[in-house]
Amino acid sequence: MKRTIFMFVALMFMLMTACSSATSPNSIDEANSDWKTNEVTIDQATPTDATDATDIIDVTESTSSTEPTEPTDSTDSSLSNKHTSEQPITEELEKKGHLPQGFVYLDEYIPSAQQVMGYSGEINFVGMPIDGYLAPFAIATEEAALALQAISDELEQQELVLVFYDAYRPQKAVNHFIRWSLDEEDLLMKESFYPREEKSTLFKKGYLSKRSGHSRGSTVDVTLAHADTGEELDMGSPVDMLDVISNFNTKQITQEQAANRQILKQLMTKHNFKSYSKEWWHYTLKDEPYPNEYFDFDVE
């Protein structure tokens, strides 16, 4: 009996050993396979999480470094070099001479002055000839012309000359500006003349007016140039740049540009002209002869 039991136990041991040998490799392979699968899953998940975290950091840093900043005292070159293709009027054109009594052509009083009358052409904030400007002539009251003549005489000592961009302006031209302002789709000249302003706010902010002092005949848009080269002094922004950089006391220009504006202002105020704070180039004779009359004759 004992022998039989022993033989049965031995037989069972042999069968269990054989079973173990047959199943062990598969079990190890399956285990290894499960581990490798988990390893791949972890390797794929970890970089994704890390990338997301990095992106958040990068975006934050990028946003912080590219936020718009307030303009500094240095010149904003993107504004100061606009519409520089304007050139002084040099060709001889015949004046019609049909001026109301008391009005004169400025070049007959100040022959050394340059005239860059953009409203008679396409280089202006509208982008087309303005109503009433049939020729590129600067016209003003005789009183304004005599005061400007005195300024020109004084500028000769500094080897500088006056440059006129506008003087008398017909009321029909102002009406043209008003119609233009109502056309929201016409943004042809925005980049050159009002890149940082909305067209719809130009009148509200005082860059344009529905009743202009120019129409009274004693207001001029003027700057200065070197007599020998004709090169204009750097004022920090061009005439008719409808932007805060054109304010006389803006902090967006250099000290040299501010000094040039001051030279012009001192001369103009010395000879009885008053300035306009939003436009460094805009001056009106204090004792203008027609303070309440707005004229509408053509410039021709």
Side-chain angles (χ1 to χ4, degrees):
M1 183 68 176
K2 290 182 180 179
R3 180 179 179 82
T4 301
I5 293 173
F6 176 79
M7 290 179 65
F8 176 79
V9 172
L11 179 62
M12 291 298 295
F13 178 80
M14 291 175 63
L15 287 172
M16 290 178 63
T17 303
C19 255
S20 176
S21 298
T23 59
S24 180
N26 289 338
S27 299
I28 292 172
D29 288 342
E30 288 173 3
N32 286 340
S33 176
D34 289 341
W35 176 80
K36 289 178 180 178
T37 301
N38 291 335
E39 181 180 41
V40 170
T41 303
I42 293 171
D43 287 344
Q44 290 175 342
T46 302
T48 303
D49 293 340
T51 302
D52 289 343
T54 304
D55 286 345
I56 293 172
I57 294 171
D58 289 344
V59 167
T60 303
E61 291 177 351
S62 175
T63 302
S64 175
S65 62
T66 59
E67 286 180 350
T69 56
E70 290 295 323
T72 62
D73 288 346
S74 61
T75 305
D76 187 336
S77 60
S78 66
L79 298 180
S80 62
N81 296 323
K82 295 293 184 181
H83 54 91
T84 53
S85 59
E86 294 172 333
Q87 295 297 328
I89 304 301
T90 56
E91 68 267 27
E92 290 294 330
L93 298 175
E94 182 180 355
K95 306 183 187 77
K96 290 199 173 181
H98 303 311
L99 301 180
Q101 185 175 359
F103 283 81
V104 299
Y105 292 101
L106 285 179
D107 66 339
E108 295 178 0
Y109 282 67
I110 316 166
S112 63
Q114 299 178 12
Q115 296 188 37
V116 187
M117 307 298 288
Y119 293 156
S120 64
E122 298 180 351
I123 304 177
N124 55 65
F125 58 83
V126 176
M128 63 183 296
I130 305 303
D131 291 355
Y133 285 87
L134 307 183
F137 299 129
I139 296 171
T141 62
E142 186 172 15
E143 288 84 350
L146 290 171
L148 291 166
Q149 186 181 58
I151 293 171
S152 178
D153 291 343
E154 189 167 337
L155 282 171
E156 286 185 9
Q157 303 173 13
Q158 304 178 49
E159 298 183 344
L160 297 172
V161 296
L162 293 170
V163 183
F164 296 115
Y165 275 78
D166 195 26
Y168 159 72
R169 179 183 304 166
Q171 180 60 40
K172 59 178 64 105
V174 178
N175 295 341
H176 191 169
F177 296 161
I178 296 172
R179 293 195 308 274
W180 166 81
S181 71
L182 298 175
D183 185 355
E184 297 179 356
E185 296 183 358
D186 182 1
L187 299 175
L188 176 65
M189 306 303 286
K190 177 175 176 59
E191 182 179 351
S192 295
F193 286 88
Y194 52 104
R196 300 192 298 187
E197 292 289 348
E198 293 301 322
K199 181 180 180 180
S200 60
T201 66
L202 294 177
F203 277 92
K204 294 177 182 178
K205 291 189 174 183
Y207 295 117
L208 300 174
S209 175
K210 295 181 179 180
R211 298 297 294 272
S212 173
H214 285 277
S215 300
R216 302 194 299 266
S218 297
T219 295
V220 291
D221 291 340
V222 63
T223 186
L224 301 173
H226 296 284
D228 55 348
T229 65
E231 180 182 1
E232 294 182 13
L233 272 62
D234 184 0
M235 300 290 187
S237 71
V239 171
D240 266 2
M241 173 60 72
L242 309 179
D243 189 271
V244 68
I245 197 173
S246 296
N247 292 359
F248 186 84
N249 290 321
T250 181
K251 301 301 183 182
Q252 299 181 24
I253 60 176
T254 65
Q255 291 183 351
E256 179 182 358
Q257 293 162 345
N260 289 337
R261 292 185 181 189
Q262 192 64 42
I263 291 172
L264 176 63
K265 184 176 182 179
Q266 287 177 349
L267 280 168
M268 297 297 289
T269 55
K270 177 181 177 181
H271 291 274
N272 206 32
F273 283 88
K274 56 185 177 182
S275 61
Y276 177 50
S277 62
K278 290 183 179 292
E279 299 176 347
W280 61 260
W281 58 82
H282 181 109
Y283 289 90
T284 299
L285 188 68
K286 289 182 180 179
D287 299 325
E288 55 183 319
Y290 307 107
N292 301 310
E293 190 168 355
Y294 294 81
F295 295 85
D296 198 31
F297 62 90
D298 290 336
V299 176
E300 56 183 357

Coordinates of all heavy atoms in Angstrom, one line a residue, residues 116-190:
V116 N 3.4 123.0 -51.6 CA 3.1 121.5 -51.7 C 1.6 121.4 -51.5 O 1.2 121.0 -50.4 CB 3.9 120.7 -50.7 CG1 3.7 119.2 -51.0 CG2 5.4 121.0 -50.8
M117 N 0.9 121.7 -52.5 CA -0.6 121.8 -52.4 C -1.3 120.5 -52.7 O -1.8 120.3 -53.8 CB -1.1 122.9 -53.3 CG -0.4 124.3 -53.0 SD -0.6 124.9 -51.3 CE -2.3 125.4 -51.4
G118 N -1.3 119.6 -51.8 CA -1.7 118.2 -52.0 C -3.2 118.1 -52.3 O -3.6 117.1 -52.9
Y119 N -4.0 119.1 -51.9 CA -5.5 118.9 -52.1 C -5.8 119.1 -53.6 O -7.0 118.8 -53.9 CB -6.2 120.0 -51.2 CG -6.1 119.7 -49.8 CD1 -6.3 120.7 -48.8 CD2 -5.9 118.4 -49.3 CE1 -6.2 120.5 -47.5 CE2 -5.8 118.2 -47.9 CZ -6.0 119.2 -47.0 OH -5.9 118.9 -45.7
S120 N -4.9 119.6 -54.4 CA -5.2 119.8 -55.8 C -4.9 118.5 -56.6 O -5.1 118.4 -57.8 CB -4.5 121.0 -56.4 OG -3.1 120.7 -56.4
G121 N -4.3 117.5 -55.9 CA -3.9 116.3 -56.5 C -4.5 115.1 -55.7 O -5.5 115.2 -55.1
E122 N -3.7 114.0 -55.7 CA -4.2 112.8 -55.1 C -3.5 112.4 -53.8 O -3.8 111.4 -53.2 CB -4.1 111.6 -56.1 CG -5.0 111.8 -57.3 CD -4.9 110.6 -58.3 OE1 -4.0 109.8 -58.1 OE2 -5.7 110.6 -59.3
I123 N -2.4 113.2 -53.5 CA -1.7 112.9 -52.3 C -2.3 113.7 -51.1 O -1.8 114.7 -50.7 CB -0.2 113.2 -52.5 CG1 0.3 112.4 -53.7 CG2 0.6 112.8 -51.2 CD1 1.8 112.7 -54.0
N124 N -3.3 113.2 -50.6 CA -4.0 113.8 -49.4 C -4.8 112.7 -48.7 O -4.9 111.5 -49.3 CB -4.9 114.9 -49.8 CG -5.9 114.6 -50.9 OD1 -6.8 113.7 -50.6 ND2 -5.8 115.1 -52.1
F125 N -5.4 112.9 -47.6 CA -6.1 111.9 -46.8 C -7.3 111.3 -47.5 O -7.8 110.3 -47.1 CB -6.4 112.3 -45.4 CG -7.2 113.5 -45.3 CD1 -8.6 113.4 -45.4 CD2 -6.6 114.8 -45.1 CE1 -9.4 114.6 -45.2 CE2 -7.4 115.9 -44.9 CZ -8.8 115.8 -45.0
V126 N -7.8 112.0 -48.5 CA -9.0 111.5 -49.3 C -8.5 110.7 -50.5 O -9.1 109.7 -50.8 CB -9.9 112.7 -49.8 CG1 -11.0 112.2 -50.7 CG2 -10.4 113.5 -48.6
G127 N -7.4 111.1 -51.1 CA -6.8 110.3 -52.2 C -7.3 110.7 -53.5 O -7.1 109.9 -54.5
M128 N -7.8 111.9 -53.6 CA -8.3 112.5 -54.9 C -8.3 114.0 -54.8 O -8.2 114.5 -53.7 CB -9.7 111.9 -55.2 CG -10.7 112.4 -54.2 SD -12.4 111.7 -54.6 CE -12.7 112.4 -56.2
P129 N -8.3 114.7 -56.0 CA -8.4 116.1 -55.9 C -9.7 116.6 -55.2 O -10.7 116.0 -55.3 CB -8.5 116.5 -57.4 CG -7.8 115.4 -58.1 CD -8.2 114.2 -57.4
I130 N -9.5 117.6 -54.3 CA -10.6 118.0 -53.4 C -11.4 119.1 -54.1 O -10.8 120.0 -54.8 CB -10.0 118.5 -52.1 CG1 -9.1 117.5 -51.4 CG2 -11.1 119.0 -51.2 CD1 -9.8 116.1 -51.2
D131 N -12.7 119.1 -53.9 CA -13.6 120.1 -54.6 C -13.1 121.5 -54.3 O -12.8 121.8 -53.2 CB -15.0 119.9 -54.0 CG -15.7 118.6 -54.5 OD1 -15.0 117.9 -55.3 OD2 -16.8 118.4 -54.0
G132 N -13.0 122.3 -55.3 CA -12.6 123.7 -55.2 C -11.1 124.0 -55.4 O -10.7 125.1 -55.6
Y133 N -10.3 122.9 -55.4 CA -8.9 123.1 -55.7 C -8.6 122.7 -57.1 O -8.3 121.6 -57.5 CB -8.1 122.2 -54.8 CG -8.0 122.6 -53.3 CD1 -9.0 122.3 -52.4 CD2 -6.9 123.4 -52.9 CE1 -8.9 122.7 -51.1 CE2 -6.9 123.9 -51.6 CZ -7.9 123.5 -50.7 OH -7.8 123.9 -49.4
L134 N -8.7 123.8 -58.0 CA -8.5 123.6 -59.4 C -7.1 123.8 -59.9 O -6.7 123.5 -61.0 CB -9.5 124.5 -60.2 CG -11.0 124.4 -59.8 CD1 -11.8 125.3 -60.7 CD2 -11.5 123.0 -59.9
A135 N -6.3 124.3 -59.0 CA -4.9 124.6 -59.2 C -4.1 124.6 -57.9 O -4.7 124.8 -56.9 CB -4.7 125.9 -60.0
P136 N -2.8 124.3 -58.0 CA -2.0 124.1 -56.7 C -1.4 125.5 -56.3 O -0.2 125.6 -56.2 CB -0.9 123.2 -57.2 CG -0.7 123.5 -58.6 CD -2.0 123.8 -59.2
F137 N -2.3 126.4 -56.0 CA -1.8 127.7 -55.5 C -2.2 128.0 -54.1 O -3.3 127.6 -53.6 CB -2.4 128.8 -56.4 CG -2.0 128.8 -57.8 CD1 -3.0 128.8 -58.8 CD2 -0.7 128.6 -58.2 CE1 -2.7 128.7 -60.2 CE2 -0.3 128.6 -59.5 CZ -1.3 128.6 -60.5
A138 N -1.3 128.6 -53.3 CA -1.6 129.0 -52.0 C -2.2 130.5 -52.0 O -1.5 131.4 -52.5 CB -0.4 129.0 -51.1
I139 N -3.4 130.7 -51.5 CA -4.0 131.9 -51.5 C -4.4 132.3 -50.1 O -4.7 131.5 -49.2 CB -5.3 131.9 -52.3 CG1 -5.0 131.6 -53.8 CG2 -6.2 133.1 -52.2 CD1 -6.2 131.3 -54.6
A140 N -4.3 133.6 -49.7 CA -4.6 134.0 -48.4 C -5.0 135.5 -48.4 O -4.9 136.2 -49.5 CB -3.4 133.9 -47.5
T141 N -5.5 136.0 -47.3 CA -5.8 137.4 -47.2 C -4.5 138.2 -47.3 O -3.4 137.7 -46.9 CB -6.5 137.8 -45.9 OG1 -5.7 137.4 -44.8 CG2 -7.8 137.0 -45.8
E142 N -4.6 139.4 -47.7 CA -3.4 140.3 -47.8 C -2.7 140.5 -46.4 O -1.5 140.5 -46.3 CB -3.7 141.6 -48.4 CG -2.5 142.4 -48.7 CD -2.7 143.7 -49.5 OE1 -3.9 144.0 -49.6 OE2 -1.8 144.3 -50.1
E143 N -3.5 140.6 -45.4 CA -3.0 140.8 -44.0 C -2.2 139.5 -43.6 O -1.1 139.7 -43.1 CB -4.1 141.0 -43.0 CG -4.8 142.3 -43.1 CD -5.9 142.3 -44.2 OE1 -6.0 141.4 -45.0 OE2 -6.7 143.3 -44.3
A144 N -2.7 138.3 -43.9 CA -1.9 137.1 -43.6 C -0.6 137.1 -44.5 O 0.4 136.7 -44.0 CB -2.7 135.9 -43.8
A145 N -0.7 137.5 -45.7 CA 0.4 137.4 -46.6 C 1.5 138.3 -46.1 O 2.7 138.0 -46.2 CB 0.0 137.8 -48.0
L146 N 1.2 139.5 -45.7 CA 2.2 140.5 -45.2 C 2.9 140.0 -44.0 O 4.1 140.1 -43.8 CB 1.5 141.8 -44.9 CG 1.1 142.6 -46.2 CD1 0.3 143.8 -45.8 CD2 2.3 143.0 -47.0
A147 N 2.1 139.3 -43.1 CA 2.7 138.7 -41.9 C 3.7 137.6 -42.2 O 4.8 137.5 -41.7 CB 1.7 138.3 -40.9
L148 N 3.3 136.8 -43.2 CA 4.1 135.7 -43.6 C 5.3 136.2 -44.3 O 6.4 135.6 -44.3 CB 3.3 134.7 -44.5 CG 2.2 133.9 -43.8 CD1 1.2 133.3 -44.8 CD2 2.8 132.8 -42.9
Q149 N 5.2 137.3 -45.0 CA 6.3 137.9 -45.7 C 7.4 138.3 -44.7 O 8.6 138.1 -44.9 CB 5.9 139.1 -46.5 CG 7.0 139.7 -47.4 CD 6.4 140.9 -48.2 OE1 5.9 141.8 -47.6 NE2 6.5 140.8 -49.5
A150 N 7.0 138.9 -43.6 CA 7.9 139.3 -42.6 C 8.6 138.0 -42.0 O 9.8 138.1 -41.6 CB 7.2 140.1 -41.5
I151 N 7.9 137.0 -41.8 CA 8.5 135.7 -41.3 C 9.5 135.2 -42.3 O 10.6 134.8 -41.9 CB 7.4 134.7 -41.0 CG1 6.4 135.1 -39.9 CG2 8.0 133.3 -40.7 CD1 5.2 134.3 -39.7
S152 N 9.2 135.2 -43.5 CA 10.1 134.7 -44.6 C 11.4 135.6 -44.6 O 12.5 135.0 -44.7 CB 9.4 134.8 -45.9 OG 10.3 134.4 -46.9
D153 N 11.3 136.9 -44.4 CA 12.4 137.7 -44.4 C 13.3 137.4 -43.2 O 14.6 137.4 -43.3 CB 12.0 139.2 -44.3 CG 11.4 139.7 -45.6 OD1 11.5 139.0 -46.6 OD2 10.7 140.7 -45.5
E154 N 12.7 137.1 -42.1 CA 13.5 136.7 -40.9 C 14.2 135.3 -41.1 O 15.3 135.1 -40.6 CB 12.6 136.7 -39.7 CG 13.4 136.6 -38.4 CD 12.5 136.9 -37.2 OE1 11.5 137.6 -37.3 OE2 12.8 136.4 -36.1
L155 N 13.5 134.4 -41.8 CA 14.0 133.1 -42.0 C 15.3 133.1 -42.9 O 16.1 132.2 -42.8 CB 13.0 132.2 -42.6 CG 11.9 131.7 -41.7 CD1 10.8 131.0 -42.5 CD2 12.5 130.7 -40.7
E156 N 15.4 134.1 -43.7 CA 16.6 134.2 -44.6 C 17.9 134.2 -43.8 O 18.9 133.6 -44.3 CB 16.5 135.4 -45.5 CG 15.4 135.3 -46.6 CD 15.5 136.6 -47.5 OE1 16.4 137.4 -47.4 OE2 14.6 136.7 -48.3
Q157 N 17.8 134.8 -42.7 CA 19.0 134.8 -41.8 C 19.4 133.5 -41.3 O 20.6 133.2 -41.0 CB 18.8 135.8 -40.7 CG 18.4 137.2 -41.1 CD 18.0 138.1 -39.9 OE1 18.3 137.7 -38.7 NE2 17.5 139.2 -40.2
Q158 N 18.4 132.6 -41.2 CA 18.7 131.2 -40.8 C 18.8 130.2 -42.0 O 18.9 129.0 -41.7 CB 17.6 130.7 -39.9 CG 17.3 131.7 -38.7 CD 16.2 131.2 -37.8 OE1 16.1 130.0 -37.4 NE2 15.3 132.1 -37.4
E159 N 18.8 130.8 -43.2 CA 18.9 130.0 -44.4 C 17.7 128.9 -44.4 O 17.9 127.8 -44.8 CB 20.2 129.3 -44.5 CG 21.4 130.3 -44.6 CD 22.7 129.6 -44.8 OE1 22.8 128.4 -44.5 OE2 23.7 130.3 -45.1
L160 N 16.6 129.4 -44.0 CA 15.4 128.6 -44.1 C 14.3 129.2 -44.9 O 14.3 130.5 -45.1 CB 14.8 128.3 -42.7 CG 15.7 127.5 -41.7 CD1 15.1 127.6 -40.3 CD2 15.9 126.1 -42.2
V161 N 13.3 128.5 -45.4 CA 12.2 129.0 -46.2 C 10.9 128.4 -45.7 O 10.9 127.3 -45.1 CB 12.4 128.7 -47.7 CG1 13.6 129.4 -48.3 CG2 12.4 127.2 -48.0
L162 N 9.8 129.1 -46.0 CA 8.5 128.5 -45.6 C 8.1 127.5 -46.7 O 8.4 127.6 -47.9 CB 7.5 129.7 -45.6 CG 7.6 130.7 -44.4 CD1 6.7 131.9 -44.7 CD2 7.4 130.1 -43.1
V163 N 7.3 126.5 -46.2 CA 6.7 125.6 -47.1 C 5.2 125.5 -46.9 O 4.8 125.2 -45.7 CB 7.3 124.1 -47.0 CG1 6.7 123.2 -48.0 CG2 8.8 124.2 -47.1
F164 N 4.4 125.9 -47.8 CA 2.9 125.9 -47.7 C 2.3 124.6 -48.2 O 2.5 124.2 -49.3 CB 2.3 127.1 -48.4 CG 2.8 128.4 -47.8 CD1 3.5 129.3 -48.6 CD2 2.4 128.8 -46.5 CE1 3.9 130.5 -48.1 CE2 2.9 130.0 -46.0 CZ 3.6 130.9 -46.8
Y165 N 1.5 124.0 -47.3 CA 0.7 122.8 -47.7 C -0.8 123.2 -48.0 O -1.5 122.5 -48.7 CB 0.8 121.8 -46.6 CG 2.0 120.9 -46.8 CD1 3.3 121.4 -46.3 CD2 2.0 119.6 -47.3 CE1 4.4 120.6 -46.5 CE2 3.1 118.8 -47.5 CZ 4.3 119.3 -47.0 OH 5.4 118.5 -47.2
D166 N -1.2 124.2 -47.3 CA -2.6 124.7 -47.6 C -2.7 126.1 -47.0 O -1.9 126.5 -46.1 CB -3.6 123.8 -46.9 CG -5.0 124.1 -47.5 OD1 -5.1 124.5 -48.6 OD2 -6.0 123.8 -46.7
A167 N -3.6 126.9 -47.6 CA -3.9 128.2 -47.1 C -5.4 128.4 -47.1 O -6.1 127.7 -46.4 CB -3.1 129.3 -47.9
Y168 N -5.9 129.3 -48.0 CA -7.3 129.5 -48.1 C -7.9 128.1 -48.6 O -7.4 127.5 -49.5 CB -7.7 130.6 -49.1 CG -9.1 130.5 -49.7 CD1 -10.2 130.7 -48.9 CD2 -9.2 130.0 -51.0 CE1 -11.5 130.5 -49.4 CE2 -10.5 129.8 -51.5 CZ -11.6 130.1 -50.7 OH -12.9 129.9 -51.2
R169 N -9.0 127.8 -48.0 CA -9.7 126.5 -48.4 C -11.2 126.8 -48.7 O -11.9 127.3 -47.7 CB -9.6 125.5 -47.3 CG -10.3 124.1 -47.5 CD -10.1 123.2 -46.3 NE -8.7 123.0 -45.9 CZ -8.3 122.5 -44.8 NH1 -9.2 122.1 -43.9 NH2 -7.0 122.4 -44.5
P170 N -11.7 126.5 -49.8 CA -13.1 126.7 -50.1 C -14.0 125.9 -49.2 O -13.7 124.8 -48.8 CB -13.3 126.3 -51.6 CG -11.9 126.3 -52.1 CD -11.0 125.9 -51.0
Q171 N -15.2 126.4 -48.9 CA -16.1 125.7 -48.0 C -16.6 124.4 -48.7 O -16.8 123.4 -48.1 CB -17.4 126.5 -47.7 CG -18.4 125.8 -46.9 CD -17.9 125.4 -45.5 OE1 -17.2 126.1 -44.9 NE2 -18.3 124.2 -45.1
K172 N -16.6 124.4 -50.1 CA -17.0 123.2 -50.8 C -15.9 122.1 -50.6 O -16.3 120.9 -50.6 CB -17.1 123.5 -52.3 CG -15.9 124.0 -53.0 CD -16.1 124.2 -54.5 CE -17.2 125.3 -54.7 NZ -16.6 126.5 -55.2
A173 N -14.7 122.4 -50.3 CA -13.7 121.4 -50.0 C -14.0 120.8 -48.6 O -13.8 119.6 -48.4 CB -12.3 122.1 -50.0
V174 N -14.4 121.6 -47.7 CA -14.7 121.1 -46.3 C -15.9 120.2 -46.4 O -16.0 119.1 -45.8 CB -15.1 122.3 -45.4 CG1 -15.5 121.8 -44.0 CG2 -13.8 123.2 -45.2
N175 N -16.9 120.6 -47.3 CA -18.1 119.7 -47.5 C -17.7 118.4 -48.1 O -18.3 117.3 -47.8 CB -19.1 120.4 -48.4 CG -19.7 121.7 -47.8 OD1 -19.6 121.8 -46.5 ND2 -20.2 122.5 -48.6
H176 N -16.6 118.4 -49.0 CA -16.1 117.2 -49.6 C -15.5 116.3 -48.5 O -15.7 115.1 -48.5 CB -15.0 117.5 -50.6 CG -14.5 116.4 -51.4 ND1 -13.7 116.6 -52.5 CD2 -14.7 115.0 -51.3 CE1 -13.5 115.4 -53.1 NE2 -14.1 114.4 -52.3
F177 N -14.8 116.9 -47.5 CA -14.3 116.1 -46.4 C -15.4 115.4 -45.6 O -15.3 114.3 -45.1 CB -13.5 117.0 -45.5 CG -12.2 117.6 -46.1 CD1 -11.6 118.7 -45.5 CD2 -11.7 117.0 -47.2 CE1 -10.5 119.2 -46.1 CE2 -10.5 117.6 -47.8 CZ -9.9 118.7 -47.2
I178 N -16.5 116.2 -45.4 CA -17.6 115.6 -44.6 C -18.2 114.4 -45.3 O -18.5 113.4 -44.7 CB -18.7 116.7 -44.4 CG1 -18.1 117.9 -43.5 CG2 -19.9 116.1 -43.7 CD1 -19.0 119.1 -43.4
R179 N -18.4 114.5 -46.6 CA -19.0 113.4 -47.4 C -18.1 112.2 -47.4 O -18.5 111.1 -47.2 CB -19.2 113.8 -48.9 CG -20.3 114.9 -49.1 CD -20.7 114.9 -50.5 NE -19.6 115.1 -51.4 CZ -19.1 116.3 -51.8 NH1 -19.6 117.4 -51.3 NH2 -18.1 116.4 -52.6
W180 N -16.8 112.5 -47.5 CA -15.8 111.4 -47.4 C -15.8 110.7 -46.1 O -15.7 109.5 -46.0 CB -14.4 112.0 -47.7 CG -13.3 111.1 -47.4 CD1 -12.7 110.1 -48.1 CD2 -12.5 111.1 -46.1 NE1 -11.7 109.5 -47.5 CE2 -11.5 110.1 -46.2 CE3 -12.5 111.9 -45.0 CZ2 -10.6 109.8 -45.2 CZ3 -11.6 111.6 -44.0 CH2 -10.6 110.6 -44.1
S181 N -16.0 111.4 -45.0 CA -16.0 110.8 -43.7 C -17.1 109.9 -43.5 O -17.1 109.0 -42.6 CB -16.0 111.9 -42.6 OG -17.2 112.5 -42.5
L182 N -18.2 110.1 -44.2 CA -19.4 109.2 -44.0 C -19.3 107.9 -44.8 O -20.1 107.0 -44.6 CB -20.6 110.0 -44.5 CG -20.9 111.3 -43.6 CD1 -22.1 112.0 -44.2 CD2 -21.2 110.9 -42.2
D183 N -18.3 107.8 -45.7 CA -18.2 106.6 -46.5 C -17.2 105.6 -45.8 O -16.0 105.7 -45.9 CB -17.6 106.9 -47.9 CG -17.5 105.7 -48.8 OD1 -17.8 104.6 -48.3 OD2 -17.1 105.9 -50.0
E184 N -17.8 104.7 -45.0 CA -17.0 103.8 -44.1 C -16.1 102.9 -44.9 O -15.2 102.4 -44.4 CB -18.0 103.0 -43.2 CG -18.8 103.9 -42.3 CD -19.7 103.1 -41.4 OE1 -19.8 101.9 -41.6 OE2 -20.3 103.7 -40.5
E185 N -16.5 102.6 -46.2 CA -15.7 101.6 -47.0 C -14.5 102.3 -47.6 O -13.6 101.5 -48.1 CB -16.7 101.0 -48.0 CG -17.8 100.2 -47.5 CD -18.6 99.5 -48.5 OE1 -18.3 99.8 -49.7 OE2 -19.6 98.8 -48.2
D186 N -14.5 103.6 -47.7 CA -13.3 104.2 -48.4 C -12.2 104.4 -47.4 O -12.2 105.4 -46.6 CB -13.8 105.6 -48.9 CG -12.6 106.3 -49.7 OD1 -11.5 105.7 -49.7 OD2 -12.9 107.4 -50.2
L187 N -11.3 103.5 -47.4 CA -10.1 103.6 -46.5 C -8.8 103.6 -47.3 O -7.8 103.2 -46.8 CB -10.1 102.4 -45.5 CG -11.3 102.3 -44.6 CD1 -11.3 100.9 -43.8 CD2 -11.4 103.4 -43.7
L188 N -8.9 104.2 -48.5 CA -7.8 104.2 -49.4 C -6.5 104.7 -48.8 O -5.4 104.2 -49.0 CB -8.1 104.9 -50.7 CG -7.1 105.1 -51.7 CD1 -6.7 103.8 -52.3 CD2 -7.5 106.1 -52.8
M189 N -6.6 105.8 -48.1 CA -5.4 106.5 -47.6 C -5.2 106.4 -46.1 O -4.4 107.1 -45.5 CB -5.5 108.0 -47.9 CG -5.8 108.3 -49.4 SD -4.5 107.6 -50.5 CE -3.1 108.7 -50.1
K190 N -5.9 105.4 -45.5 CA -5.8 105.2 -44.0 C -4.3 104.9 -43.6 O -3.8 105.6 -42.7 CB -6.7 104.1 -43.6 CG -6.6 103.8 -42.1 CD -7.5 102.7 -41.6 CE -7.4 102.3 -40.2 NZ -7.5 103.5 -39.3

